[in-house]
Amino acid sequence: MTTYPTIVQVVLDATDIRTLAEFYRELFGLEYRPGDEPQNGEKDWLVLRSGSGVPLAFQQVDALPAATWPEGPIPQQLHLDTTVPDVTELDVQHERALALGARLLHDRSDDLEEPLRVYADPAGHPFCIFVG
């Protein structure tokens, strides 16, 4: 029987990991790994967890070119796909994402087969919210 590696977490690079971690903490309702909370000072690595799902980690870097997708020379490189149950919730999460600092990159919310929107987080990483 073959064994395979297990995905432990998804890691996002950022020049300001606390701001990016706070964005995703609010957007997804995640919690900091013990010791990574804001009152514990500046760090170069943070982890957010939930009761289920893959944790998100954030690694501090000095510079990071923002993705220019869907046009331009810098591709997405990595993006997060997230789902909501229906178009009403897609609209609710759209407003939340924008209020938290996301930038809308692509709007296909009127697609009857798979309504979705693509955003950039505050560090420029693309992520999708779609009806699944």
Side-chain angles (χ1 to χ4, degrees):
M1 179 175 210
T2 303
T3 60
Y4 298 96
T6 300
I7 297 173
V8 176
Q9 59 198 5
V10 173
V11 181
L12 299 171
D13 289 351
T15 57
D16 181 353
I17 61 172
R18 182 63 68 189
T19 297
L20 192 59
E22 279 297 301
F23 171 82
Y24 282 111
R25 185 184 69 79
E26 288 287 331
L27 184 66
F28 296 136
L30 303 174
E31 295 181 2
Y32 284 104
R33 170 183 66 178
D36 284 351
E37 298 88 351
Q39 67 273 15
N40 287 325
E42 194 173 316
K43 297 184 177 259
D44 62 359
W45 184 270
L46 299 171
V47 178
L48 292 174
R49 298 175 173 166
S50 69
S52 62
V54 175
L56 289 178
F58 305 89
Q59 178 174 271
Q60 186 71 35
V61 296
D62 292 332
L64 182 71
T68 56
W69 184 93
E71 297 174 9
I74 303 172
Q76 293 182 61
Q77 301 165 357
L78 173 135
H79 71 274
L80 302 174
D81 279 345
T82 67
T83 64
V84 292
D86 54 45
V87 173
T88 299
E89 190 62 23
L90 180 65
D91 291 340
V92 168
Q93 296 307 319
H94 170 71
E95 295 302 323
R96 286 190 66 243
L98 294 177
L100 291 168
R103 183 171 42 91
L104 182 64
L105 297 177
H106 182 69
D107 189 340
R108 209 176 74 195
S109 58
D110 59 353
D111 185 307
L112 298 177
E113 290 186 34
E114 187 181 51
L116 70 86
R117 290 187 177 106
V118 182
Y119 304 87
D121 69 22
H125 303 104
F127 69 95
C128 301
I129 303 176
F130 61 90
V131 177

